[in-house]
Amino acid sequence: MPYRRVLLKLSGEALMGEQSYGIDTSVIQRIAAEIAGVVAQGTEMAVVVGGGNIFRGLKGAAAGMDRATADYVGMLATVMNAMALQDALERMEVPCRVQTAIAMQEVAEPYIRRRAMRHLEKGRVVIFGGGCGNPFFTTDTTAALRAAEIGAQVVFKATKVDGVYNKDPACFRDAVRYDRLSFQEVLRGELAVMDGTAIALCKDNGIPIVVFNLFEAGNIARAIAGEPVGTAVHPELVPH
Ligand code: UDP
């Protein structure tokens, strides 16, 4: 396997499936089954979950809420998703720990980098909840940060779209999907891979990003096997 330790970023929106809000348990179960499969093959898997299916700080701020307070609400939303995923994994007998960036020790461990790495070495899935614990950040940035901290070899961004396009494929029929991109190309084209802070962190730490569709069964395993899924963003310029 090309990757021994992987950081999987699951967007909150992906967890709501076809619903307009909240958690679709059948979607979570399917994701858990895919994670169980790759962990059984020996891949160390850390997960960062988003919270957009429940609450987004920017939306709260637009409705008149204090931005920092709204972001804290968003971070708490990610913990709910983390716990739902943990539950699904444990029901499949996959050992799993949730670590939160905001301490809430009655429900999860606090984020302790070395402990997280030890869990991974022992074959446990580690789910990071609460983002990075700071307002004005995103769970994409958290994914890049935690990946660098724990020495993950790649960030998998699993979303509702099947990669990165030159323009929004939902609005433009002639939108073209990229198979491979360099970080320079992403930054130059302001392409919607992850937010700028997350891209900068991955670029500076030489961590590739693979963006793929979570709803295509088997995509997590394919990405781990190094098969082409979605769009791969590489640290150095790769000839197309
Ligand atoms: N958030 C934050 N700091 C972080 C991570 C998340 O303030 O480090 C808040 C922010 O308000 C964000 C919300 O949590 O809107 C949910 O996270 P995000 O939007 O990244 O989730 P996703 O888009 O992946 O569903």
Side-chain angles (χ1 to χ4, degrees), residues 9-14 49-53 55-58 67-68 70-78 81 130-142 157:
K9 160 71 207 297
L10 297 174
S11 76
E13 277 183 9
V49 282
N53 54 324
F55 195 89
R56 264 184 213 290
L58 275 175
R67 169 73 194 272
D71 277 343
Y72 278 110
V73 176
M75 285 185 261
L76 296 180
T78 71
N81 288 332
C132 63
N134 297 298
F136 303 100
F137 284 86
T138 64
T139 49
D140 276 1
T141 297
T142 307
K157 177 163 169 154

PDB file of all heavy atoms in Angstrom, residues 9-14 49-53 55-58 67-68 70-78 81 130-142 157, ligand 1:
ATOM      1  N   LYS A   9     -10.636  13.334   5.601  1.00  0.00           N
ATOM      2  CA  LYS A   9     -11.519  14.451   5.973  1.00  0.00           C
ATOM      3  C   LYS A   9     -12.913  14.173   5.412  1.00  0.00           C
ATOM      4  O   LYS A   9     -13.085  14.063   4.197  1.00  0.00           O
ATOM      5  CB  LYS A   9     -10.962  15.764   5.410  1.00  0.00           C
ATOM      6  CG  LYS A   9     -11.962  16.909   5.300  1.00  0.00           C
ATOM      7  CD  LYS A   9     -12.383  17.500   6.635  1.00  0.00           C
ATOM      8  CE  LYS A   9     -13.775  18.123   6.599  1.00  0.00           C
ATOM      9  NZ  LYS A   9     -14.007  19.247   5.739  1.00  0.00           N
ATOM     10  N   LEU A  10     -13.878  14.063   6.306  1.00  0.00           N
ATOM     11  CA  LEU A  10     -15.270  13.862   5.887  1.00  0.00           C
ATOM     12  C   LEU A  10     -16.024  15.159   6.098  1.00  0.00           C
ATOM     13  O   LEU A  10     -16.085  15.669   7.223  1.00  0.00           O
ATOM     14  CB  LEU A  10     -15.929  12.776   6.746  1.00  0.00           C
ATOM     15  CG  LEU A  10     -15.360  11.364   6.669  1.00  0.00           C
ATOM     16  CD1 LEU A  10     -16.039  10.473   7.701  1.00  0.00           C
ATOM     17  CD2 LEU A  10     -15.536  10.788   5.274  1.00  0.00           C
ATOM     18  N   SER A  11     -16.597  15.699   5.037  1.00  0.00           N
ATOM     19  CA  SER A  11     -17.355  16.937   5.217  1.00  0.00           C
ATOM     20  C   SER A  11     -18.665  16.619   5.925  1.00  0.00           C
ATOM     21  O   SER A  11     -19.226  15.533   5.758  1.00  0.00           O
ATOM     22  CB  SER A  11     -17.620  17.609   3.871  1.00  0.00           C
ATOM     23  OG  SER A  11     -18.634  16.934   3.182  1.00  0.00           O
ATOM     24  N   GLY A  12     -19.131  17.566   6.714  1.00  0.00           N
ATOM     25  CA  GLY A  12     -20.397  17.379   7.413  1.00  0.00           C
ATOM     26  C   GLY A  12     -21.532  17.138   6.432  1.00  0.00           C
ATOM     27  O   GLY A  12     -22.391  16.279   6.651  1.00  0.00           O
ATOM     28  N   GLU A  13     -21.470  17.859   5.314  1.00  0.00           N
ATOM     29  CA  GLU A  13     -22.550  17.722   4.320  1.00  0.00           C
ATOM     30  C   GLU A  13     -22.637  16.309   3.777  1.00  0.00           C
ATOM     31  O   GLU A  13     -23.727  15.815   3.482  1.00  0.00           O
ATOM     32  CB  GLU A  13     -22.341  18.709   3.181  1.00  0.00           C
ATOM     33  CG  GLU A  13     -22.878  20.075   3.543  1.00  0.00           C
ATOM     34  CD  GLU A  13     -22.751  21.080   2.423  1.00  0.00           C
ATOM     35  OE1 GLU A  13     -22.393  20.686   1.299  1.00  0.00           O
ATOM     36  OE2 GLU A  13     -23.011  22.259   2.699  1.00  0.00           O
ATOM     37  N   ALA A  14     -21.494  15.659   3.666  1.00  0.00           N
ATOM     38  CA  ALA A  14     -21.506  14.275   3.162  1.00  0.00           C
ATOM     39  C   ALA A  14     -22.276  13.372   4.120  1.00  0.00           C
ATOM     40  O   ALA A  14     -22.925  12.421   3.689  1.00  0.00           O
ATOM     41  CB  ALA A  14     -20.081  13.773   2.982  1.00  0.00           C
ATOM     42  N   VAL A  49     -13.795  15.163  11.065  1.00  0.00           N
ATOM     43  CA  VAL A  49     -15.159  15.330  10.561  1.00  0.00           C
ATOM     44  C   VAL A  49     -15.559  16.807  10.593  1.00  0.00           C
ATOM     45  O   VAL A  49     -15.218  17.530  11.521  1.00  0.00           O
ATOM     46  CB  VAL A  49     -16.198  14.500  11.371  1.00  0.00           C
ATOM     47  CG1 VAL A  49     -16.163  13.052  10.978  1.00  0.00           C
ATOM     48  CG2 VAL A  49     -16.008  14.668  12.845  1.00  0.00           C
ATOM     49  N   GLY A  50     -16.308  17.209   9.590  1.00  0.00           N
ATOM     50  CA  GLY A  50     -16.841  18.572   9.541  1.00  0.00           C
ATOM     51  C   GLY A  50     -18.143  18.658  10.318  1.00  0.00           C
ATOM     52  O   GLY A  50     -18.542  17.716  11.011  1.00  0.00           O
ATOM     53  N   GLY A  51     -18.794  19.804  10.190  1.00  0.00           N
ATOM     54  CA  GLY A  51     -20.041  20.001  10.942  1.00  0.00           C
ATOM     55  C   GLY A  51     -21.108  20.728  10.148  1.00  0.00           C
ATOM     56  O   GLY A  51     -22.158  21.080  10.674  1.00  0.00           O
ATOM     57  N   GLY A  52     -20.823  20.933   8.848  1.00  0.00           N
ATOM     58  CA  GLY A  52     -21.722  21.728   8.006  1.00  0.00           C
ATOM     59  C   GLY A  52     -23.129  21.172   7.886  1.00  0.00           C
ATOM     60  O   GLY A  52     -24.047  21.890   7.491  1.00  0.00           O
ATOM     61  N   ASN A  53     -23.330  19.905   8.217  1.00  0.00           N
ATOM     62  CA  ASN A  53     -24.675  19.312   8.185  1.00  0.00           C
ATOM     63  C   ASN A  53     -25.518  19.770   9.376  1.00  0.00           C
ATOM     64  O   ASN A  53     -26.731  19.551   9.392  1.00  0.00           O
ATOM     65  CB  ASN A  53     -24.569  17.776   8.204  1.00  0.00           C
ATOM     66  CG  ASN A  53     -23.746  17.264   9.375  1.00  0.00           C
ATOM     67  OD1 ASN A  53     -22.769  17.884   9.776  1.00  0.00           O
ATOM     68  ND2 ASN A  53     -24.132  16.131   9.917  1.00  0.00           N
ATOM     69  N   PHE A  55     -24.287  22.860  11.691  1.00  0.00           N
ATOM     70  CA  PHE A  55     -24.127  24.300  11.916  1.00  0.00           C
ATOM     71  C   PHE A  55     -22.822  24.803  11.299  1.00  0.00           C
ATOM     72  O   PHE A  55     -21.781  24.171  11.443  1.00  0.00           O
ATOM     73  CB  PHE A  55     -24.107  24.594  13.430  1.00  0.00           C
ATOM     74  CG  PHE A  55     -24.319  26.054  13.757  1.00  0.00           C
ATOM     75  CD1 PHE A  55     -25.592  26.553  13.944  1.00  0.00           C
ATOM     76  CD2 PHE A  55     -23.235  26.921  13.861  1.00  0.00           C
ATOM     77  CE1 PHE A  55     -25.788  27.907  14.228  1.00  0.00           C
ATOM     78  CE2 PHE A  55     -23.422  28.276  14.147  1.00  0.00           C
ATOM     79  CZ  PHE A  55     -24.706  28.749  14.331  1.00  0.00           C
ATOM     80  N   ARG A  56     -22.901  25.940  10.642  1.00  0.00           N
ATOM     81  CA  ARG A  56     -21.711  26.602  10.092  1.00  0.00           C
ATOM     82  C   ARG A  56     -21.584  27.970  10.713  1.00  0.00           C
ATOM     83  O   ARG A  56     -22.549  28.747  10.727  1.00  0.00           O
ATOM     84  CB  ARG A  56     -21.858  26.795   8.586  1.00  0.00           C
ATOM     85  CG  ARG A  56     -21.227  25.729   7.781  1.00  0.00           C
ATOM     86  CD  ARG A  56     -21.347  26.061   6.301  1.00  0.00           C
ATOM     87  NE  ARG A  56     -21.482  24.848   5.530  1.00  0.00           N
ATOM     88  CZ  ARG A  56     -20.515  23.966   5.359  1.00  0.00           C
ATOM     89  NH1 ARG A  56     -19.326  24.187   5.868  1.00  0.00           N
ATOM     90  NH2 ARG A  56     -20.720  22.878   4.662  1.00  0.00           N
ATOM     91  N   GLY A  57     -20.397  28.289  11.190  1.00  0.00           N
ATOM     92  CA  GLY A  57     -20.155  29.570  11.840  1.00  0.00           C
ATOM     93  C   GLY A  57     -20.500  30.761  10.959  1.00  0.00           C
ATOM     94  O   GLY A  57     -21.141  31.720  11.386  1.00  0.00           O
ATOM     95  N   LEU A  58     -20.093  30.674   9.674  1.00  0.00           N
ATOM     96  CA  LEU A  58     -20.324  31.805   8.773  1.00  0.00           C
ATOM     97  C   LEU A  58     -21.811  32.092   8.595  1.00  0.00           C
ATOM     98  O   LEU A  58     -22.235  33.248   8.536  1.00  0.00           O
ATOM     99  CB  LEU A  58     -19.689  31.529   7.407  1.00  0.00           C
ATOM    100  CG  LEU A  58     -18.204  31.872   7.273  1.00  0.00           C
ATOM    101  CD1 LEU A  58     -17.677  31.450   5.916  1.00  0.00           C
ATOM    102  CD2 LEU A  58     -17.960  33.367   7.499  1.00  0.00           C
ATOM    103  N   ARG A  67     -19.389  36.134  15.448  1.00  0.00           N
ATOM    104  CA  ARG A  67     -18.710  35.130  14.625  1.00  0.00           C
ATOM    105  C   ARG A  67     -17.976  34.075  15.462  1.00  0.00           C
ATOM    106  O   ARG A  67     -18.069  32.873  15.200  1.00  0.00           O
ATOM    107  CB  ARG A  67     -17.742  35.818  13.654  1.00  0.00           C
ATOM    108  CG  ARG A  67     -16.770  34.927  12.917  1.00  0.00           C
ATOM    109  CD  ARG A  67     -17.442  34.091  11.832  1.00  0.00           C
ATOM    110  NE  ARG A  67     -16.558  33.031  11.371  1.00  0.00           N
ATOM    111  CZ  ARG A  67     -15.668  33.148  10.398  1.00  0.00           C
ATOM    112  NH1 ARG A  67     -15.548  34.285   9.734  1.00  0.00           N
ATOM    113  NH2 ARG A  67     -14.905  32.136  10.055  1.00  0.00           N
ATOM    114  N   ALA A  68     -17.252  34.531  16.472  1.00  0.00           N
ATOM    115  CA  ALA A  68     -16.482  33.561  17.267  1.00  0.00           C
ATOM    116  C   ALA A  68     -17.425  32.594  17.984  1.00  0.00           C
ATOM    117  O   ALA A  68     -17.195  31.379  18.003  1.00  0.00           O
ATOM    118  CB  ALA A  68     -15.583  34.278  18.263  1.00  0.00           C
ATOM    119  N   ALA A  70     -20.429  31.759  17.052  1.00  0.00           N
ATOM    120  CA  ALA A  70     -21.013  30.881  16.025  1.00  0.00           C
ATOM    121  C   ALA A  70     -20.025  29.790  15.637  1.00  0.00           C
ATOM    122  O   ALA A  70     -20.404  28.627  15.445  1.00  0.00           O
ATOM    123  CB  ALA A  70     -21.414  31.711  14.804  1.00  0.00           C
ATOM    124  N   ASP A  71     -18.750  30.144  15.550  1.00  0.00           N
ATOM    125  CA  ASP A  71     -17.741  29.132  15.206  1.00  0.00           C
ATOM    126  C   ASP A  71     -17.619  28.080  16.300  1.00  0.00           C
ATOM    127  O   ASP A  71     -17.425  26.896  16.010  1.00  0.00           O
ATOM    128  CB  ASP A  71     -16.382  29.803  14.954  1.00  0.00           C
ATOM    129  CG  ASP A  71     -16.259  30.337  13.539  1.00  0.00           C
ATOM    130  OD1 ASP A  71     -17.058  29.934  12.670  1.00  0.00           O
ATOM    131  OD2 ASP A  71     -15.356  31.165  13.302  1.00  0.00           O
ATOM    132  N   TYR A  72     -17.723  28.492  17.545  1.00  0.00           N
ATOM    133  CA  TYR A  72     -17.678  27.493  18.635  1.00  0.00           C
ATOM    134  C   TYR A  72     -18.868  26.541  18.524  1.00  0.00           C
ATOM    135  O   TYR A  72     -18.731  25.335  18.760  1.00  0.00           O
ATOM    136  CB  TYR A  72     -17.639  28.162  20.014  1.00  0.00           C
ATOM    137  CG  TYR A  72     -16.242  28.606  20.407  1.00  0.00           C
ATOM    138  CD1 TYR A  72     -15.890  29.952  20.464  1.00  0.00           C
ATOM    139  CD2 TYR A  72     -15.256  27.658  20.701  1.00  0.00           C
ATOM    140  CE1 TYR A  72     -14.603  30.346  20.803  1.00  0.00           C
ATOM    141  CE2 TYR A  72     -13.967  28.046  21.040  1.00  0.00           C
ATOM    142  CZ  TYR A  72     -13.642  29.393  21.088  1.00  0.00           C
ATOM    143  OH  TYR A  72     -12.364  29.761  21.413  1.00  0.00           O
ATOM    144  N   VAL A  73     -20.026  27.075  18.164  1.00  0.00           N
ATOM    145  CA  VAL A  73     -21.198  26.206  17.967  1.00  0.00           C
ATOM    146  C   VAL A  73     -20.898  25.210  16.836  1.00  0.00           C
ATOM    147  O   VAL A  73     -21.182  24.011  16.943  1.00  0.00           O
ATOM    148  CB  VAL A  73     -22.471  27.034  17.663  1.00  0.00           C
ATOM    149  CG1 VAL A  73     -23.659  26.118  17.375  1.00  0.00           C
ATOM    150  CG2 VAL A  73     -22.794  27.966  18.827  1.00  0.00           C
ATOM    151  N   GLY A  74     -20.289  25.714  15.774  1.00  0.00           N
ATOM    152  CA  GLY A  74     -19.896  24.842  14.652  1.00  0.00           C
ATOM    153  C   GLY A  74     -18.944  23.743  15.115  1.00  0.00           C
ATOM    154  O   GLY A  74     -19.080  22.580  14.727  1.00  0.00           O
ATOM    155  N   MET A  75     -17.997  24.109  15.961  1.00  0.00           N
ATOM    156  CA  MET A  75     -17.030  23.103  16.451  1.00  0.00           C
ATOM    157  C   MET A  75     -17.749  22.033  17.267  1.00  0.00           C
ATOM    158  O   MET A  75     -17.423  20.849  17.172  1.00  0.00           O
ATOM    159  CB  MET A  75     -15.943  23.787  17.274  1.00  0.00           C
ATOM    160  CG  MET A  75     -14.936  24.535  16.412  1.00  0.00           C
ATOM    161  SD  MET A  75     -13.586  25.220  17.363  1.00  0.00           S
ATOM    162  CE  MET A  75     -14.099  26.921  17.561  1.00  0.00           C
ATOM    163  N   LEU A  76     -18.724  22.449  18.079  1.00  0.00           N
ATOM    164  CA  LEU A  76     -19.482  21.465  18.864  1.00  0.00           C
ATOM    165  C   LEU A  76     -20.260  20.522  17.937  1.00  0.00           C
ATOM    166  O   LEU A  76     -20.380  19.332  18.215  1.00  0.00           O
ATOM    167  CB  LEU A  76     -20.429  22.173  19.836  1.00  0.00           C
ATOM    168  CG  LEU A  76     -19.751  23.028  20.920  1.00  0.00           C
ATOM    169  CD1 LEU A  76     -20.793  23.669  21.827  1.00  0.00           C
ATOM    170  CD2 LEU A  76     -18.770  22.208  21.751  1.00  0.00           C
ATOM    171  N   ALA A  77     -20.747  21.076  16.828  1.00  0.00           N
ATOM    172  CA  ALA A  77     -21.478  20.234  15.858  1.00  0.00           C
ATOM    173  C   ALA A  77     -20.577  19.117  15.337  1.00  0.00           C
ATOM    174  O   ALA A  77     -21.023  17.976  15.172  1.00  0.00           O
ATOM    175  CB  ALA A  77     -21.992  21.093  14.699  1.00  0.00           C
ATOM    176  N   THR A  78     -19.316  19.434  15.125  1.00  0.00           N
ATOM    177  CA  THR A  78     -18.408  18.394  14.587  1.00  0.00           C
ATOM    178  C   THR A  78     -18.234  17.251  15.596  1.00  0.00           C
ATOM    179  O   THR A  78     -18.004  16.111  15.205  1.00  0.00           O
ATOM    180  CB  THR A  78     -17.010  18.954  14.217  1.00  0.00           C
ATOM    181  OG1 THR A  78     -16.293  19.269  15.414  1.00  0.00           O
ATOM    182  CG2 THR A  78     -17.095  20.169  13.325  1.00  0.00           C
ATOM    183  N   ASN A  81     -20.985  14.715  15.128  1.00  0.00           N
ATOM    184  CA  ASN A  81     -20.685  13.836  13.985  1.00  0.00           C
ATOM    185  C   ASN A  81     -19.616  12.816  14.349  1.00  0.00           C
ATOM    186  O   ASN A  81     -19.698  11.642  13.960  1.00  0.00           O
ATOM    187  CB  ASN A  81     -20.213  14.678  12.789  1.00  0.00           C
ATOM    188  CG  ASN A  81     -21.337  15.462  12.147  1.00  0.00           C
ATOM    189  OD1 ASN A  81     -22.490  15.041  12.206  1.00  0.00           O
ATOM    190  ND2 ASN A  81     -21.013  16.582  11.532  1.00  0.00           N
ATOM    191  N   GLY A 130     -14.223  18.677  17.041  1.00  0.00           N
ATOM    192  CA  GLY A 130     -14.010  20.031  17.571  1.00  0.00           C
ATOM    193  C   GLY A 130     -13.065  20.873  16.741  1.00  0.00           C
ATOM    194  O   GLY A 130     -12.541  21.883  17.231  1.00  0.00           O
ATOM    195  N   GLY A 131     -12.849  20.483  15.498  1.00  0.00           N
ATOM    196  CA  GLY A 131     -11.934  21.239  14.641  1.00  0.00           C
ATOM    197  C   GLY A 131     -10.577  21.358  15.308  1.00  0.00           C
ATOM    198  O   GLY A 131     -10.133  20.431  15.994  1.00  0.00           O
ATOM    199  N   CYS A 132      -9.923  22.512  15.120  1.00  0.00           N
ATOM    200  CA  CYS A 132      -8.630  22.704  15.792  1.00  0.00           C
ATOM    201  C   CYS A 132      -8.828  23.458  17.108  1.00  0.00           C
ATOM    202  O   CYS A 132      -7.857  23.805  17.786  1.00  0.00           O
ATOM    203  CB  CYS A 132      -7.631  23.398  14.868  1.00  0.00           C
ATOM    204  SG  CYS A 132      -8.118  25.036  14.374  1.00  0.00           S
ATOM    205  N   GLY A 133     -10.091  23.721  17.458  1.00  0.00           N
ATOM    206  CA  GLY A 133     -10.373  24.353  18.748  1.00  0.00           C
ATOM    207  C   GLY A 133     -10.382  25.870  18.708  1.00  0.00           C
ATOM    208  O   GLY A 133     -10.592  26.516  19.732  1.00  0.00           O
ATOM    209  N   ASN A 134     -10.165  26.430  17.516  1.00  0.00           N
ATOM    210  CA  ASN A 134     -10.130  27.893  17.388  1.00  0.00           C
ATOM    211  C   ASN A 134     -11.169  28.382  16.399  1.00  0.00           C
ATOM    212  O   ASN A 134     -11.309  27.796  15.313  1.00  0.00           O
ATOM    213  CB  ASN A 134      -8.752  28.356  16.885  1.00  0.00           C
ATOM    214  CG  ASN A 134      -7.660  28.012  17.861  1.00  0.00           C
ATOM    215  OD1 ASN A 134      -7.648  28.465  18.993  1.00  0.00           O
ATOM    216  ND2 ASN A 134      -6.745  27.174  17.420  1.00  0.00           N
ATOM    217  N   PRO A 135     -11.871  29.479  16.757  1.00  0.00           N
ATOM    218  CA  PRO A 135     -12.788  30.060  15.774  1.00  0.00           C
ATOM    219  C   PRO A 135     -12.004  30.647  14.596  1.00  0.00           C
ATOM    220  O   PRO A 135     -10.790  30.812  14.688  1.00  0.00           O
ATOM    221  CB  PRO A 135     -13.503  31.159  16.572  1.00  0.00           C
ATOM    222  CG  PRO A 135     -12.617  31.454  17.733  1.00  0.00           C
ATOM    223  CD  PRO A 135     -11.838  30.209  18.018  1.00  0.00           C
ATOM    224  N   PHE A 136     -12.690  30.945  13.523  1.00  0.00           N
ATOM    225  CA  PHE A 136     -12.111  31.504  12.292  1.00  0.00           C
ATOM    226  C   PHE A 136     -11.290  30.476  11.515  1.00  0.00           C
ATOM    227  O   PHE A 136     -10.569  30.829  10.594  1.00  0.00           O
ATOM    228  CB  PHE A 136     -11.275  32.767  12.565  1.00  0.00           C
ATOM    229  CG  PHE A 136     -12.063  33.841  13.256  1.00  0.00           C
ATOM    230  CD1 PHE A 136     -11.946  34.019  14.627  1.00  0.00           C
ATOM    231  CD2 PHE A 136     -12.949  34.639  12.556  1.00  0.00           C
ATOM    232  CE1 PHE A 136     -12.685  34.985  15.297  1.00  0.00           C
ATOM    233  CE2 PHE A 136     -13.691  35.620  13.211  1.00  0.00           C
ATOM    234  CZ  PHE A 136     -13.571  35.782  14.580  1.00  0.00           C
ATOM    235  N   PHE A 137     -11.375  29.202  11.922  1.00  0.00           N
ATOM    236  CA  PHE A 137     -10.720  28.141  11.157  1.00  0.00           C
ATOM    237  C   PHE A 137     -11.781  27.175  10.633  1.00  0.00           C
ATOM    238  O   PHE A 137     -12.952  27.292  10.968  1.00  0.00           O
ATOM    239  CB  PHE A 137      -9.696  27.402  12.027  1.00  0.00           C
ATOM    240  CG  PHE A 137      -8.432  28.191  12.239  1.00  0.00           C
ATOM    241  CD1 PHE A 137      -8.334  29.111  13.268  1.00  0.00           C
ATOM    242  CD2 PHE A 137      -7.347  28.019  11.396  1.00  0.00           C
ATOM    243  CE1 PHE A 137      -7.177  29.859  13.455  1.00  0.00           C
ATOM    244  CE2 PHE A 137      -6.188  28.765  11.577  1.00  0.00           C
ATOM    245  CZ  PHE A 137      -6.111  29.682  12.614  1.00  0.00           C
ATOM    246  N   THR A 138     -11.330  26.229   9.829  1.00  0.00           N
ATOM    247  CA  THR A 138     -12.270  25.254   9.261  1.00  0.00           C
ATOM    248  C   THR A 138     -11.781  23.837   9.567  1.00  0.00           C
ATOM    249  O   THR A 138     -10.636  23.645  10.001  1.00  0.00           O
ATOM    250  CB  THR A 138     -12.331  25.382   7.727  1.00  0.00           C
ATOM    251  OG1 THR A 138     -11.026  25.035   7.230  1.00  0.00           O
ATOM    252  CG2 THR A 138     -12.709  26.768   7.270  1.00  0.00           C
ATOM    253  N   THR A 139     -12.631  22.882   9.304  1.00  0.00           N
ATOM    254  CA  THR A 139     -12.194  21.499   9.505  1.00  0.00           C
ATOM    255  C   THR A 139     -11.256  21.050   8.368  1.00  0.00           C
ATOM    256  O   THR A 139     -10.518  20.090   8.556  1.00  0.00           O
ATOM    257  CB  THR A 139     -13.396  20.545   9.635  1.00  0.00           C
ATOM    258  OG1 THR A 139     -14.306  20.791   8.582  1.00  0.00           O
ATOM    259  CG2 THR A 139     -14.092  20.729  10.966  1.00  0.00           C
ATOM    260  N   ASP A 140     -11.278  21.737   7.225  1.00  0.00           N
ATOM    261  CA  ASP A 140     -10.269  21.443   6.192  1.00  0.00           C
ATOM    262  C   ASP A 140      -8.886  21.800   6.724  1.00  0.00           C
ATOM    263  O   ASP A 140      -7.930  21.040   6.575  1.00  0.00           O
ATOM    264  CB  ASP A 140     -10.543  22.261   4.914  1.00  0.00           C
ATOM    265  CG  ASP A 140     -11.570  21.600   4.009  1.00  0.00           C
ATOM    266  OD1 ASP A 140     -12.080  20.522   4.378  1.00  0.00           O
ATOM    267  OD2 ASP A 140     -11.856  22.164   2.939  1.00  0.00           O
ATOM    268  N   THR A 141      -8.785  22.964   7.343  1.00  0.00           N
ATOM    269  CA  THR A 141      -7.504  23.377   7.915  1.00  0.00           C
ATOM    270  C   THR A 141      -7.112  22.426   9.041  1.00  0.00           C
ATOM    271  O   THR A 141      -5.938  22.058   9.176  1.00  0.00           O
ATOM    272  CB  THR A 141      -7.583  24.834   8.417  1.00  0.00           C
ATOM    273  OG1 THR A 141      -7.831  25.664   7.280  1.00  0.00           O
ATOM    274  CG2 THR A 141      -6.292  25.275   9.079  1.00  0.00           C
ATOM    275  N   THR A 142      -8.098  22.014   9.839  1.00  0.00           N
ATOM    276  CA  THR A 142      -7.819  21.038  10.904  1.00  0.00           C
ATOM    277  C   THR A 142      -7.242  19.762  10.315  1.00  0.00           C
ATOM    278  O   THR A 142      -6.291  19.188  10.862  1.00  0.00           O
ATOM    279  CB  THR A 142      -9.115  20.709  11.677  1.00  0.00           C
ATOM    280  OG1 THR A 142      -9.713  21.922  12.116  1.00  0.00           O
ATOM    281  CG2 THR A 142      -8.835  19.804  12.864  1.00  0.00           C
ATOM    282  N   LYS A 157      -9.675  14.024   0.924  1.00  0.00           N
ATOM    283  CA  LYS A 157     -10.854  14.857   1.137  1.00  0.00           C
ATOM    284  C   LYS A 157     -12.036  14.183   0.435  1.00  0.00           C
ATOM    285  O   LYS A 157     -12.167  14.236  -0.794  1.00  0.00           O
ATOM    286  CB  LYS A 157     -10.633  16.278   0.624  1.00  0.00           C
ATOM    287  CG  LYS A 157     -11.907  17.082   0.794  1.00  0.00           C
ATOM    288  CD  LYS A 157     -11.751  18.549   0.709  1.00  0.00           C
ATOM    289  CE  LYS A 157     -13.150  19.144   0.629  1.00  0.00           C
ATOM    290  NZ  LYS A 157     -13.268  20.465   1.108  1.00  0.00           N
TER     291      LYS A 157
HETATM  292  N1  UDP B   1     -14.966  25.520  13.014  1.00  0.00           N
HETATM  293  C1  UDP B   1     -14.119  26.414  13.662  1.00  0.00           C
HETATM  294  N2  UDP B   1     -12.812  26.068  13.863  1.00  0.00           N
HETATM  295  C2  UDP B   1     -12.290  24.888  13.411  1.00  0.00           C
HETATM  296  C3  UDP B   1     -13.137  23.997  12.715  1.00  0.00           C
HETATM  297  C4  UDP B   1     -14.476  24.324  12.531  1.00  0.00           C
HETATM  298  O1  UDP B   1     -14.535  27.475  14.072  1.00  0.00           O
HETATM  299  O2  UDP B   1     -11.105  24.622  13.632  1.00  0.00           O
HETATM  300  C5  UDP B   1     -16.403  25.820  12.894  1.00  0.00           C
HETATM  301  C6  UDP B   1     -16.775  26.758  11.757  1.00  0.00           C
HETATM  302  O3  UDP B   1     -17.823  27.593  12.213  1.00  0.00           O
HETATM  303  C7  UDP B   1     -17.309  25.816  10.685  1.00  0.00           C
HETATM  304  C8  UDP B   1     -17.973  24.752  11.520  1.00  0.00           C
HETATM  305  O4  UDP B   1     -17.120  24.621  12.663  1.00  0.00           O
HETATM  306  O5  UDP B   1     -18.244  26.454   9.865  1.00  0.00           O
HETATM  307  C9  UDP B   1     -18.127  23.410  10.846  1.00  0.00           C
HETATM  308  O6  UDP B   1     -16.943  23.024  10.198  1.00  0.00           O
HETATM  309  P1  UDP B   1     -16.775  23.049   8.599  1.00  0.00           P
HETATM  310  O7  UDP B   1     -17.581  24.147   8.001  1.00  0.00           O
HETATM  311  O8  UDP B   1     -15.309  23.036   8.296  1.00  0.00           O
HETATM  312  O9  UDP B   1     -17.404  21.651   8.232  1.00  0.00           O
HETATM  313  P2  UDP B   1     -17.673  20.993   6.783  1.00  0.00           P
HETATM  314  O10 UDP B   1     -17.651  22.075   5.736  1.00  0.00           O
HETATM  315  O11 UDP B   1     -16.581  20.029   6.547  1.00  0.00           O
HETATM  316  O12 UDP B   1     -18.989  20.321   6.944  1.00  0.00           O
END
